[in-house]
Amino acid sequence: MKKEMTAEELTKKRWLMVVISGLMNICAGSLYTWSVFSSPMAEFLNQRNGLSLTAGSLAIVFTVANSVGPITMISGGFINDKLGPKWVLFLGGFLFGGGFLLSGFAVNTAMLTAGFGICSGLAMGMIYGCSVSNAVKLFPDRRGMIGGIMTATYGLSSVLVPPIANRLIQSLGVTAAFKILGAVFVLVLCVGSFFIVPCPSNFVPIGWNPPAVQKGSPSREKNWNGMLRTPVFYVMLAILVCGAFSGLMLISQASNMAQQMVGMSAEAAAIVVSVLALFNVAGRVVSGWLSDRIGRIRTLEIAFLIAVAGLLMLLISNGNVVVFYGGISFVGFCFGSLMGIYPGFTADRFGQKNNSVNYGIMFIGFALAGLFGPMSMNLMYQNSGSYRPAFLVSMVLAIIGILLAQVYKALAKKEG
């Protein structure tokens, strides 16, 4: 059996593991580049089978992919805590790349759903949950910053991968693009997994003295069952839902909003999507770093205030492009802040020993926001012909998030 790394060796190599884990997250984040593949894939299936599919007809593929991720974040977390991250990441990498490869051979919607939706969707949860959790464990001295960096690399995929995928689709066709990317993902993810080692229990980096409150405090080390028994968990979950709601709502409709609200062309609206993605990434890094200095809950309060300001700007934009961009940027920053803070926030509150599973369960809040945010926006737009009701609902939820932060403070003070 391989000898466990000493604290000194792990302190030296932990940054290398963050870099490799970040690269793996960029691969896994390509799941959210589905819009690049949907129209070309619909055209391919139409030509092959004599159908009349549209990109909207294939929306079920992405819905499935987005829905199954939390399942493997939780189950993969159990395996990670028992066997270590290497095999979770290896299996996840093989399954993720394999899903893209299977999509490249798809001849109908069912095969595409099985490959991209189920295989790659399940694998994404394994890769993202495991890589983020293990990295946060390796940096008890910088949990917020590392959580921000790791989740930022995942979000950065939406900026980096689409141009590559588009070039492959234009040059070689959509099925060849799926196959090439799938092969690359298998190689990067499976090879990268062998560079990742598990973080030992109670790891303390050389040169860092943990605060007295964190030294073996049993109240901070809770498994999933213990976490679910604490009222503070449900408050944290509700805060995540309130914060992620507006971000996921805007991500789902950013291009259409730009065209409907300020009269942008499709090409100009694509820039709005990129700006939203960049501020999403920036929010993860900046807020993760800031939360290490002023605290997680105070940083979340600031993020919610920024979201309220952004949503107000969208409400009053009235065709003004500058105000519209400001609103999009603020809401994107807030959404990124939530995603960057929560890995470290969960570890702070419930301990790092079981954080793989605990964070996977907490991520259910993200899944709920991902389900109800876009769906609510679509319903309100269909009923009113305007996005304003959705902005108002999101503002109310952001204000509720600020109020829930006060509830969290009271409960945290009571629990100690």
Side-chain angles (χ1 to χ4, degrees):
M1 182 179 292
K2 187 176 180 180
K3 184 180 177 182
E4 188 177 271
M5 281 190 181
T6 64
E8 183 176 2
E9 291 173 329
L10 203 53
T11 301
K12 290 179 180 178
K13 293 184 177 181
R14 60 183 182 160
W15 278 109
L16 174 63
M17 284 188 275
V18 164
V19 171
I20 295 171
S21 296
L23 183 60
M24 297 173 79
N25 264 352
I26 290 175
C27 293
S30 61
L31 193 78
Y32 288 89
T33 63
W34 167 250
S35 60
V36 175
F37 295 96
S38 57
S39 292
M41 200 63 194
E43 292 176 11
F44 168 78
L45 294 177
N46 289 341
Q47 292 173 3
R48 190 185 191 283
N49 301 317
L51 302 174
S52 55
L53 297 172
T54 64
S57 303
L58 298 180
I60 184 62
V61 178
F62 183 69
T63 300
V64 170
N66 200 41
S67 300
V68 299
I71 298 172
T72 42
M73 280 191 69
I74 298 170
S75 59
F78 278 108
I79 301 171
N80 182 28
D81 287 340
K82 298 295 182 183
L83 302 179
K86 179 187 298 182
W87 296 111
V88 177
L89 291 171
F90 180 86
L91 178 59
F94 186 81
L95 191 60
F96 188 86
F100 269 69
L101 284 167
L102 180 59
S103 299
F105 289 99
V107 295
N108 52 48
T109 303
M111 282 186 68
L112 193 57
T113 303
F116 192 95
I118 297 177
C119 292
S120 295
L122 288 171
M124 181 279 294
M126 297 171 71
I127 297 164
Y128 177 78
C130 182
S131 61
V132 172
S133 178
N134 195 64
V136 168
K137 289 179 181 180
L138 288 167
F139 286 84
D141 50 335
R142 296 186 178 95
R143 283 176 181 158
M145 184 182 75
I146 296 302
I149 291 173
M150 290 302 300
T151 58
T153 56
Y154 184 78
L156 194 61
S157 181
S158 296
V159 179
L160 299 178
V161 176
I164 298 171
N166 266 323
R167 180 65 63 86
L168 289 172
I169 291 169
Q170 292 171 8
S171 302
L172 303 172
V174 64
T175 56
F178 267 128
K179 293 171 186 175
I180 292 170
L181 288 172
V184 171
F185 292 154
V186 169
L187 180 64
V188 172
L189 292 167
C190 291
V191 172
S193 68
F194 286 94
F195 290 88
I196 308 300
V197 299
C199 180
S201 300
N202 302 317
F203 166 64
V204 177
I206 299 300
W208 180 63
N209 294 315
V213 70
Q214 294 184 4
K215 291 183 177 179
S217 174
S219 64
R220 284 290 185 269
E221 292 296 341
K222 297 186 184 296
N223 60 17
W224 67 273
N225 191 35
M227 180 180 73
L228 294 179
R229 292 175 182 272
T230 60
V232 75
F233 162 76
Y234 298 96
V235 175
M236 290 173 66
L237 188 74
I239 291 173
L240 179 56
V241 173
C242 290
F245 185 93
S246 60
L248 289 167
M249 182 183 74
L250 261 63
I251 287 170
S252 71
Q253 295 288 335
S255 179
N256 290 334
M257 283 171 48
Q259 294 176 62
Q260 296 294 328
M261 291 178 61
V262 292
M264 289 187 180
S265 65
E267 292 76 13
I271 298 175
V272 172
V273 176
S274 297
V275 169
L276 178 60
L278 288 171
F279 274 88
N280 177 4
V281 171
R284 297 174 190 231
V285 178
V286 173
S287 294
W289 170 83
L290 184 63
S291 72
D292 283 332
R293 282 150 180 78
I294 68 172
R296 317 290 181 217
I297 200 67
R298 288 180 63 189
T299 308
L300 286 171
E301 288 174 323
I302 294 171
F304 275 116
L305 289 172
I306 292 173
V308 171
L311 290 162
L312 182 60
M313 292 173 77
L314 290 173
L315 270 171
I316 65 172
S317 59
N318 293 325
N320 187 304
V321 175
V322 174
V323 177
F324 179 80
Y325 263 114
I328 285 286
S329 301
F330 279 17
V331 175
F333 187 90
C334 171
F335 174 68
S337 298
L338 267 288
M339 304 315 297
I341 290 170
Y342 257 77
F345 192 25
T346 307
D348 287 349
R349 194 67 233 167
F350 305 110
Q352 71 175 24
K353 180 180 178 182
N354 301 294
N355 197 46
S356 300
V357 176
N358 291 346
Y359 178 58
I361 294 173
M362 188 69 73
F363 202 74
I364 291 172
F366 175 87
L368 290 173
L371 174 64
F372 292 110
M375 184 172 64
S376 300
M377 188 175 207
N378 285 332
L379 288 173
M380 285 183 273
Y381 182 77
Q382 290 173 8
N383 291 332
S384 67
S386 169
Y387 290 108
R388 292 175 63 86
F391 298 150
L392 286 169
V393 169
S394 295
M395 283 183 67
V396 170
L397 286 174
I399 293 169
I400 292 174
I402 295 172
L403 296 176
L404 286 171
Q406 313 315 308
V407 176
Y408 170 85
K409 289 178 181 179
L411 288 174
K413 184 177 182 180
K414 182 178 178 181
E415 291 183 7

